[in-house]
Amino acid sequence: MLRQLDVIIDTAIATNSRMGLFAYVYRRTTAQILKEVELGNFEDNDRMVKFDVEFANFYLDAYHAYSNGLEVSRSWDFAFKNAKEPLTILQHVMLGINTHINLDLAMAVSTVMRERELAEIENDYNTVNRILSDIVNEMQDRLGRVSPLLFMLDWAGKNSDEKIIDFSMAKAREVSWGNANLLWGLGIEHQGEAIKNIDGVVLKLSEFIKAPQSKIIGFLLSLIGRFEERNIGKVIATLRED
């Protein structure tokens, strides 16, 4: 799984594709989860390995399908297509986070817990939330290396840049838990319409991430983007530095 993410990142570096930005953040997060599994920090560590693989496959399958011209969800299609747009690094990361957490995560949970009680995984699900919260500050610091004016989002509200990341990586998981309950309750055979509806909501969030209605936020994002590193290889290499 990590190797497949590395291939995506390496390809992005070679082609200077912004798809590698979310792929890096996701790899960092996935590696941390697997580390916690190795330390035995979940109630059911074996199940968490299976869950992590299932969850990752939704992203990997979407990436490969899109790369081969096949149909993907509307929200992934939006995120991948906008990799060609000169948005800020934070926006590209958030587009991936929004889709993978708000859509894929709910489907992964309902799939892994099929014919089992959903409540059995809730504590481990919440443990992941705490782990994500711990790395929010780290990711903010790393993004600041390649986006030197990212701190300017503080002007729109205290620690708003951190709040944006925290919402995407943690708060969205709370919404996804509700969606997981819905899909699990419907069963695999009856999820189609619900998944389409969730995808539609996620797409609207993605559109908001791309073009915030706030003129202040829009102006700051535009200014931030002007001073960011454009070379994806340099960006990812800098993000990787200890």
PDB file of all heavy atoms in Angstrom, residues 170-202:
ATOM      1  N   ALA A 170     -10.050  15.781  10.664  1.00  0.00           N
ATOM      2  CA  ALA A 170     -10.660  15.241  11.878  1.00  0.00           C
ATOM      3  C   ALA A 170     -12.167  15.475  11.928  1.00  0.00           C
ATOM      4  O   ALA A 170     -12.941  14.533  12.062  1.00  0.00           O
ATOM      5  CB  ALA A 170      -9.981  15.856  13.109  1.00  0.00           C
ATOM      6  N   LYS A 171     -12.587  16.721  11.806  1.00  0.00           N
ATOM      7  CA  LYS A 171     -14.016  17.019  11.889  1.00  0.00           C
ATOM      8  C   LYS A 171     -14.789  16.277  10.803  1.00  0.00           C
ATOM      9  O   LYS A 171     -15.909  15.806  11.047  1.00  0.00           O
ATOM     10  CB  LYS A 171     -14.248  18.525  11.764  1.00  0.00           C
ATOM     11  CG  LYS A 171     -13.627  19.350  12.884  1.00  0.00           C
ATOM     12  CD  LYS A 171     -14.196  18.969  14.244  1.00  0.00           C
ATOM     13  CE  LYS A 171     -13.602  19.843  15.330  1.00  0.00           C
ATOM     14  NZ  LYS A 171     -14.084  19.474  16.686  1.00  0.00           N
ATOM     15  N   ALA A 172     -14.197  16.197   9.612  1.00  0.00           N
ATOM     16  CA  ALA A 172     -14.868  15.506   8.518  1.00  0.00           C
ATOM     17  C   ALA A 172     -15.083  14.028   8.844  1.00  0.00           C
ATOM     18  O   ALA A 172     -16.043  13.412   8.368  1.00  0.00           O
ATOM     19  CB  ALA A 172     -14.073  15.649   7.226  1.00  0.00           C
ATOM     20  N   ARG A 173     -14.202  13.463   9.688  1.00  0.00           N
ATOM     21  CA  ARG A 173     -14.359  12.066  10.068  1.00  0.00           C
ATOM     22  C   ARG A 173     -15.600  11.875  10.922  1.00  0.00           C
ATOM     23  O   ARG A 173     -16.190  10.797  10.936  1.00  0.00           O
ATOM     24  CB  ARG A 173     -13.108  11.571  10.797  1.00  0.00           C
ATOM     25  CG  ARG A 173     -11.902  11.408   9.882  1.00  0.00           C
ATOM     26  CD  ARG A 173     -10.694  10.932  10.666  1.00  0.00           C
ATOM     27  NE  ARG A 173     -10.925   9.649  11.304  1.00  0.00           N
ATOM     28  CZ  ARG A 173     -10.652   8.476  10.750  1.00  0.00           C
ATOM     29  NH1 ARG A 173     -10.169   8.417   9.527  1.00  0.00           N
ATOM     30  NH2 ARG A 173     -10.865   7.350  11.407  1.00  0.00           N
ATOM     31  N   GLU A 174     -16.008  12.907  11.660  1.00  0.00           N
ATOM     32  CA  GLU A 174     -17.233  12.817  12.442  1.00  0.00           C
ATOM     33  C   GLU A 174     -18.444  12.731  11.510  1.00  0.00           C
ATOM     34  O   GLU A 174     -19.374  11.955  11.742  1.00  0.00           O
ATOM     35  CB  GLU A 174     -17.355  14.035  13.356  1.00  0.00           C
ATOM     36  CG  GLU A 174     -16.252  14.118  14.411  1.00  0.00           C
ATOM     37  CD  GLU A 174     -16.377  15.353  15.274  1.00  0.00           C
ATOM     38  OE1 GLU A 174     -17.427  16.038  15.175  1.00  0.00           O
ATOM     39  OE2 GLU A 174     -15.437  15.637  16.037  1.00  0.00           O
ATOM     40  N   VAL A 175     -18.415  13.554  10.453  1.00  0.00           N
ATOM     41  CA  VAL A 175     -19.480  13.498   9.458  1.00  0.00           C
ATOM     42  C   VAL A 175     -19.478  12.131   8.775  1.00  0.00           C
ATOM     43  O   VAL A 175     -20.523  11.522   8.544  1.00  0.00           O
ATOM     44  CB  VAL A 175     -19.307  14.615   8.410  1.00  0.00           C
ATOM     45  CG1 VAL A 175     -20.345  14.475   7.299  1.00  0.00           C
ATOM     46  CG2 VAL A 175     -19.408  15.982   9.070  1.00  0.00           C
ATOM     47  N   SER A 176     -18.287  11.647   8.464  1.00  0.00           N
ATOM     48  CA  SER A 176     -18.168  10.371   7.773  1.00  0.00           C
ATOM     49  C   SER A 176     -18.688   9.211   8.634  1.00  0.00           C
ATOM     50  O   SER A 176     -19.220   8.237   8.104  1.00  0.00           O
ATOM     51  CB  SER A 176     -16.713  10.112   7.381  1.00  0.00           C
ATOM     52  OG  SER A 176     -16.609   8.982   6.542  1.00  0.00           O
ATOM     53  N   TRP A 177     -18.530   9.322   9.948  1.00  0.00           N
ATOM     54  CA  TRP A 177     -19.057   8.271  10.828  1.00  0.00           C
ATOM     55  C   TRP A 177     -20.570   8.184  10.707  1.00  0.00           C
ATOM     56  O   TRP A 177     -21.148   7.096  10.673  1.00  0.00           O
ATOM     57  CB  TRP A 177     -18.646   8.526  12.276  1.00  0.00           C
ATOM     58  CG  TRP A 177     -19.180   7.504  13.230  1.00  0.00           C
ATOM     59  CD1 TRP A 177     -20.151   7.677  14.168  1.00  0.00           C
ATOM     60  CD2 TRP A 177     -18.786   6.132  13.328  1.00  0.00           C
ATOM     61  NE1 TRP A 177     -20.396   6.507  14.852  1.00  0.00           N
ATOM     62  CE2 TRP A 177     -19.560   5.539  14.358  1.00  0.00           C
ATOM     63  CE3 TRP A 177     -17.853   5.346  12.660  1.00  0.00           C
ATOM     64  CZ2 TRP A 177     -19.426   4.206  14.728  1.00  0.00           C
ATOM     65  CZ3 TRP A 177     -17.720   4.001  13.016  1.00  0.00           C
ATOM     66  CH2 TRP A 177     -18.505   3.451  14.047  1.00  0.00           C
ATOM     67  N   GLY A 178     -21.211   9.335  10.609  1.00  0.00           N
ATOM     68  CA  GLY A 178     -22.657   9.351  10.391  1.00  0.00           C
ATOM     69  C   GLY A 178     -23.021   8.734   9.056  1.00  0.00           C
ATOM     70  O   GLY A 178     -23.984   7.957   8.954  1.00  0.00           O
ATOM     71  N   ASN A 179     -22.239   9.051   8.026  1.00  0.00           N
ATOM     72  CA  ASN A 179     -22.481   8.461   6.707  1.00  0.00           C
ATOM     73  C   ASN A 179     -22.242   6.956   6.723  1.00  0.00           C
ATOM     74  O   ASN A 179     -22.947   6.193   6.056  1.00  0.00           O
ATOM     75  CB  ASN A 179     -21.583   9.119   5.663  1.00  0.00           C
ATOM     76  CG  ASN A 179     -21.987  10.544   5.364  1.00  0.00           C
ATOM     77  OD1 ASN A 179     -23.134  10.932   5.565  1.00  0.00           O
ATOM     78  ND2 ASN A 179     -21.039  11.346   4.891  1.00  0.00           N
ATOM     79  N   ALA A 180     -21.234   6.532   7.483  1.00  0.00           N
ATOM     80  CA  ALA A 180     -20.947   5.101   7.590  1.00  0.00           C
ATOM     81  C   ALA A 180     -22.112   4.366   8.228  1.00  0.00           C
ATOM     82  O   ALA A 180     -22.482   3.260   7.809  1.00  0.00           O
ATOM     83  CB  ALA A 180     -19.667   4.883   8.408  1.00  0.00           C
ATOM     84  N   ASN A 181     -22.706   4.990   9.257  1.00  0.00           N
ATOM     85  CA  ASN A 181     -23.880   4.395   9.901  1.00  0.00           C
ATOM     86  C   ASN A 181     -25.022   4.241   8.905  1.00  0.00           C
ATOM     87  O   ASN A 181     -25.719   3.218   8.897  1.00  0.00           O
ATOM     88  CB  ASN A 181     -24.326   5.260  11.089  1.00  0.00           C
ATOM     89  CG  ASN A 181     -23.586   4.930  12.367  1.00  0.00           C
ATOM     90  OD1 ASN A 181     -24.012   4.102  13.153  1.00  0.00           O
ATOM     91  ND2 ASN A 181     -22.455   5.585  12.565  1.00  0.00           N
ATOM     92  N   LEU A 182     -25.213   5.264   8.080  1.00  0.00           N
ATOM     93  CA  LEU A 182     -26.276   5.221   7.073  1.00  0.00           C
ATOM     94  C   LEU A 182     -26.035   4.089   6.079  1.00  0.00           C
ATOM     95  O   LEU A 182     -26.936   3.274   5.821  1.00  0.00           O
ATOM     96  CB  LEU A 182     -26.336   6.559   6.330  1.00  0.00           C
ATOM     97  CG  LEU A 182     -27.243   6.603   5.090  1.00  0.00           C
ATOM     98  CD1 LEU A 182     -28.695   6.362   5.488  1.00  0.00           C
ATOM     99  CD2 LEU A 182     -27.086   7.936   4.365  1.00  0.00           C
ATOM    100  N   LEU A 183     -24.829   4.028   5.512  1.00  0.00           N
ATOM    101  CA  LEU A 183     -24.526   3.008   4.504  1.00  0.00           C
ATOM    102  C   LEU A 183     -24.557   1.607   5.097  1.00  0.00           C
ATOM    103  O   LEU A 183     -25.066   0.669   4.472  1.00  0.00           O
ATOM    104  CB  LEU A 183     -23.155   3.287   3.878  1.00  0.00           C
ATOM    105  CG  LEU A 183     -23.022   4.605   3.107  1.00  0.00           C
ATOM    106  CD1 LEU A 183     -21.607   4.745   2.533  1.00  0.00           C
ATOM    107  CD2 LEU A 183     -24.051   4.683   1.982  1.00  0.00           C
ATOM    108  N   TRP A 184     -24.025   1.460   6.296  1.00  0.00           N
ATOM    109  CA  TRP A 184     -24.016   0.149   6.960  1.00  0.00           C
ATOM    110  C   TRP A 184     -25.457  -0.327   7.196  1.00  0.00           C
ATOM    111  O   TRP A 184     -25.770  -1.492   6.995  1.00  0.00           O
ATOM    112  CB  TRP A 184     -23.262   0.252   8.274  1.00  0.00           C
ATOM    113  CG  TRP A 184     -23.231  -1.018   9.072  1.00  0.00           C
ATOM    114  CD1 TRP A 184     -22.377  -2.080   8.923  1.00  0.00           C
ATOM    115  CD2 TRP A 184     -24.090  -1.351  10.176  1.00  0.00           C
ATOM    116  NE1 TRP A 184     -22.661  -3.057   9.859  1.00  0.00           N
ATOM    117  CE2 TRP A 184     -23.707  -2.630  10.638  1.00  0.00           C
ATOM    118  CE3 TRP A 184     -25.143  -0.688  10.812  1.00  0.00           C
ATOM    119  CZ2 TRP A 184     -24.332  -3.255  11.708  1.00  0.00           C
ATOM    120  CZ3 TRP A 184     -25.777  -1.315  11.881  1.00  0.00           C
ATOM    121  CH2 TRP A 184     -25.368  -2.590  12.320  1.00  0.00           C
ATOM    122  N   GLY A 185     -26.308   0.615   7.606  1.00  0.00           N
ATOM    123  CA  GLY A 185     -27.694   0.261   7.856  1.00  0.00           C
ATOM    124  C   GLY A 185     -28.438  -0.146   6.595  1.00  0.00           C
ATOM    125  O   GLY A 185     -29.314  -1.018   6.634  1.00  0.00           O
ATOM    126  N   LEU A 186     -28.080   0.477   5.477  1.00  0.00           N
ATOM    127  CA  LEU A 186     -28.743   0.154   4.213  1.00  0.00           C
ATOM    128  C   LEU A 186     -28.298  -1.197   3.666  1.00  0.00           C
ATOM    129  O   LEU A 186     -29.069  -1.893   2.998  1.00  0.00           O
ATOM    130  CB  LEU A 186     -28.434   1.243   3.177  1.00  0.00           C
ATOM    131  CG  LEU A 186     -29.092   2.602   3.406  1.00  0.00           C
ATOM    132  CD1 LEU A 186     -28.536   3.619   2.421  1.00  0.00           C
ATOM    133  CD2 LEU A 186     -30.610   2.487   3.261  1.00  0.00           C
ATOM    134  N   GLY A 187     -27.047  -1.569   3.933  1.00  0.00           N
ATOM    135  CA  GLY A 187     -26.511  -2.806   3.370  1.00  0.00           C
ATOM    136  C   GLY A 187     -25.915  -2.555   1.997  1.00  0.00           C
ATOM    137  O   GLY A 187     -26.299  -1.611   1.294  1.00  0.00           O
ATOM    138  N   ILE A 188     -24.976  -3.391   1.599  1.00  0.00           N
ATOM    139  CA  ILE A 188     -24.245  -3.218   0.346  1.00  0.00           C
ATOM    140  C   ILE A 188     -25.184  -3.110  -0.856  1.00  0.00           C
ATOM    141  O   ILE A 188     -24.970  -2.322  -1.778  1.00  0.00           O
ATOM    142  CB  ILE A 188     -23.256  -4.387   0.130  1.00  0.00           C
ATOM    143  CG1 ILE A 188     -22.219  -4.420   1.259  1.00  0.00           C
ATOM    144  CG2 ILE A 188     -22.559  -4.254  -1.223  1.00  0.00           C
ATOM    145  CD1 ILE A 188     -21.306  -3.223   1.313  1.00  0.00           C
ATOM    146  N   GLU A 189     -26.255  -3.899  -0.853  1.00  0.00           N
ATOM    147  CA  GLU A 189     -27.142  -3.980  -2.012  1.00  0.00           C
ATOM    148  C   GLU A 189     -28.001  -2.727  -2.208  1.00  0.00           C
ATOM    149  O   GLU A 189     -28.554  -2.513  -3.291  1.00  0.00           O
ATOM    150  CB  GLU A 189     -28.072  -5.205  -1.887  1.00  0.00           C
ATOM    151  CG  GLU A 189     -27.346  -6.546  -1.817  1.00  0.00           C
ATOM    152  CD  GLU A 189     -26.854  -6.876  -0.416  1.00  0.00           C
ATOM    153  OE1 GLU A 189     -27.115  -6.078   0.513  1.00  0.00           O
ATOM    154  OE2 GLU A 189     -26.185  -7.918  -0.252  1.00  0.00           O
ATOM    155  N   HIS A 190     -28.121  -1.890  -1.180  1.00  0.00           N
ATOM    156  CA  HIS A 190     -29.054  -0.757  -1.255  1.00  0.00           C
ATOM    157  C   HIS A 190     -28.371   0.599  -1.024  1.00  0.00           C
ATOM    158  O   HIS A 190     -29.038   1.566  -0.660  1.00  0.00           O
ATOM    159  CB  HIS A 190     -30.173  -0.950  -0.231  1.00  0.00           C
ATOM    160  CG  HIS A 190     -30.871  -2.277  -0.339  1.00  0.00           C
ATOM    161  ND1 HIS A 190     -31.725  -2.590  -1.380  1.00  0.00           N
ATOM    162  CD2 HIS A 190     -30.811  -3.376   0.458  1.00  0.00           C
ATOM    163  CE1 HIS A 190     -32.179  -3.829  -1.215  1.00  0.00           C
ATOM    164  NE2 HIS A 190     -31.638  -4.333  -0.115  1.00  0.00           N
ATOM    165  N   GLN A 191     -27.067   0.649  -1.255  1.00  0.00           N
ATOM    166  CA  GLN A 191     -26.322   1.864  -0.944  1.00  0.00           C
ATOM    167  C   GLN A 191     -26.213   2.840  -2.110  1.00  0.00           C
ATOM    168  O   GLN A 191     -25.828   3.996  -1.916  1.00  0.00           O
ATOM    169  CB  GLN A 191     -24.896   1.513  -0.486  1.00  0.00           C
ATOM    170  CG  GLN A 191     -24.830   0.780   0.835  1.00  0.00           C
ATOM    171  CD  GLN A 191     -23.398   0.436   1.215  1.00  0.00           C
ATOM    172  OE1 GLN A 191     -22.466   0.679   0.432  1.00  0.00           O
ATOM    173  NE2 GLN A 191     -23.215  -0.112   2.388  1.00  0.00           N
ATOM    174  N   GLY A 192     -26.502   2.393  -3.305  1.00  0.00           N
ATOM    175  CA  GLY A 192     -26.228   3.172  -4.505  1.00  0.00           C
ATOM    176  C   GLY A 192     -26.705   4.611  -4.472  1.00  0.00           C
ATOM    177  O   GLY A 192     -25.932   5.548  -4.700  1.00  0.00           O
ATOM    178  N   GLU A 193     -27.982   4.806  -4.174  1.00  0.00           N
ATOM    179  CA  GLU A 193     -28.559   6.157  -4.180  1.00  0.00           C
ATOM    180  C   GLU A 193     -27.956   7.011  -3.071  1.00  0.00           C
ATOM    181  O   GLU A 193     -27.682   8.205  -3.266  1.00  0.00           O
ATOM    182  CB  GLU A 193     -30.076   6.080  -4.022  1.00  0.00           C
ATOM    183  CG  GLU A 193     -30.794   7.399  -4.280  1.00  0.00           C
ATOM    184  CD  GLU A 193     -30.621   7.892  -5.708  1.00  0.00           C
ATOM    185  OE1 GLU A 193     -30.462   7.044  -6.619  1.00  0.00           O
ATOM    186  OE2 GLU A 193     -30.639   9.132  -5.902  1.00  0.00           O
ATOM    187  N   ALA A 194     -27.738   6.403  -1.894  1.00  0.00           N
ATOM    188  CA  ALA A 194     -27.162   7.139  -0.769  1.00  0.00           C
ATOM    189  C   ALA A 194     -25.739   7.595  -1.092  1.00  0.00           C
ATOM    190  O   ALA A 194     -25.345   8.722  -0.765  1.00  0.00           O
ATOM    191  CB  ALA A 194     -27.171   6.281   0.489  1.00  0.00           C
ATOM    192  N   ILE A 195     -24.968   6.736  -1.742  1.00  0.00           N
ATOM    193  CA  ILE A 195     -23.599   7.089  -2.115  1.00  0.00           C
ATOM    194  C   ILE A 195     -23.598   8.244  -3.111  1.00  0.00           C
ATOM    195  O   ILE A 195     -22.778   9.173  -3.018  1.00  0.00           O
ATOM    196  CB  ILE A 195     -22.859   5.867  -2.689  1.00  0.00           C
ATOM    197  CG1 ILE A 195     -22.582   4.850  -1.574  1.00  0.00           C
ATOM    198  CG2 ILE A 195     -21.550   6.286  -3.360  1.00  0.00           C
ATOM    199  CD1 ILE A 195     -21.996   3.548  -2.052  1.00  0.00           C
ATOM    200  N   LYS A 196     -24.534   8.228  -4.058  1.00  0.00           N
ATOM    201  CA  LYS A 196     -24.642   9.326  -5.012  1.00  0.00           C
ATOM    202  C   LYS A 196     -24.953  10.637  -4.304  1.00  0.00           C
ATOM    203  O   LYS A 196     -24.399  11.700  -4.636  1.00  0.00           O
ATOM    204  CB  LYS A 196     -25.736   9.025  -6.043  1.00  0.00           C
ATOM    205  CG  LYS A 196     -25.362   7.952  -7.056  1.00  0.00           C
ATOM    206  CD  LYS A 196     -26.496   7.748  -8.058  1.00  0.00           C
ATOM    207  CE  LYS A 196     -26.148   6.661  -9.071  1.00  0.00           C
ATOM    208  NZ  LYS A 196     -27.259   6.451 -10.039  1.00  0.00           N
ATOM    209  N   ASN A 197     -25.833  10.573  -3.309  1.00  0.00           N
ATOM    210  CA  ASN A 197     -26.192  11.773  -2.564  1.00  0.00           C
ATOM    211  C   ASN A 197     -25.008  12.303  -1.757  1.00  0.00           C
ATOM    212  O   ASN A 197     -24.770  13.521  -1.704  1.00  0.00           O
ATOM    213  CB  ASN A 197     -27.376  11.489  -1.639  1.00  0.00           C
ATOM    214  CG  ASN A 197     -28.669  11.245  -2.396  1.00  0.00           C
ATOM    215  OD1 ASN A 197     -28.830  11.699  -3.530  1.00  0.00           O
ATOM    216  ND2 ASN A 197     -29.592  10.516  -1.791  1.00  0.00           N
ATOM    217  N   ILE A 198     -24.278  11.400  -1.103  1.00  0.00           N
ATOM    218  CA  ILE A 198     -23.099  11.808  -0.343  1.00  0.00           C
ATOM    219  C   ILE A 198     -22.064  12.425  -1.278  1.00  0.00           C
ATOM    220  O   ILE A 198     -21.470  13.467  -0.981  1.00  0.00           O
ATOM    221  CB  ILE A 198     -22.494  10.604   0.409  1.00  0.00           C
ATOM    222  CG1 ILE A 198     -23.466  10.105   1.488  1.00  0.00           C
ATOM    223  CG2 ILE A 198     -21.153  10.983   1.050  1.00  0.00           C
ATOM    224  CD1 ILE A 198     -23.053   8.790   2.119  1.00  0.00           C
ATOM    225  N   ASP A 199     -21.870  11.788  -2.421  1.00  0.00           N
ATOM    226  CA  ASP A 199     -20.924  12.293  -3.423  1.00  0.00           C
ATOM    227  C   ASP A 199     -21.297  13.711  -3.854  1.00  0.00           C
ATOM    228  O   ASP A 199     -20.440  14.577  -4.024  1.00  0.00           O
ATOM    229  CB  ASP A 199     -20.902  11.350  -4.627  1.00  0.00           C
ATOM    230  CG  ASP A 199     -19.826  11.701  -5.639  1.00  0.00           C
ATOM    231  OD1 ASP A 199     -18.810  12.315  -5.253  1.00  0.00           O
ATOM    232  OD2 ASP A 199     -19.991  11.341  -6.822  1.00  0.00           O
ATOM    233  N   GLY A 200     -22.597  13.962  -3.996  1.00  0.00           N
ATOM    234  CA  GLY A 200     -23.051  15.287  -4.392  1.00  0.00           C
ATOM    235  C   GLY A 200     -22.735  16.340  -3.342  1.00  0.00           C
ATOM    236  O   GLY A 200     -22.324  17.463  -3.673  1.00  0.00           O
ATOM    237  N   VAL A 201     -22.919  15.994  -2.069  1.00  0.00           N
ATOM    238  CA  VAL A 201     -22.598  16.922  -0.979  1.00  0.00           C
ATOM    239  C   VAL A 201     -21.096  17.187  -0.935  1.00  0.00           C
ATOM    240  O   VAL A 201     -20.653  18.330  -0.768  1.00  0.00           O
ATOM    241  CB  VAL A 201     -23.075  16.351   0.373  1.00  0.00           C
ATOM    242  CG1 VAL A 201     -22.581  17.231   1.526  1.00  0.00           C
ATOM    243  CG2 VAL A 201     -24.598  16.250   0.399  1.00  0.00           C
ATOM    244  N   VAL A 202     -20.303  16.125  -1.090  1.00  0.00           N
ATOM    245  CA  VAL A 202     -18.846  16.260  -1.073  1.00  0.00           C
ATOM    246  C   VAL A 202     -18.382  17.140  -2.233  1.00  0.00           C
ATOM    247  O   VAL A 202     -17.470  17.958  -2.086  1.00  0.00           O
ATOM    248  CB  VAL A 202     -18.175  14.869  -1.138  1.00  0.00           C
ATOM    249  CG1 VAL A 202     -16.658  15.009  -1.263  1.00  0.00           C
ATOM    250  CG2 VAL A 202     -18.524  14.059   0.104  1.00  0.00           C
TER     251      VAL A 202
END
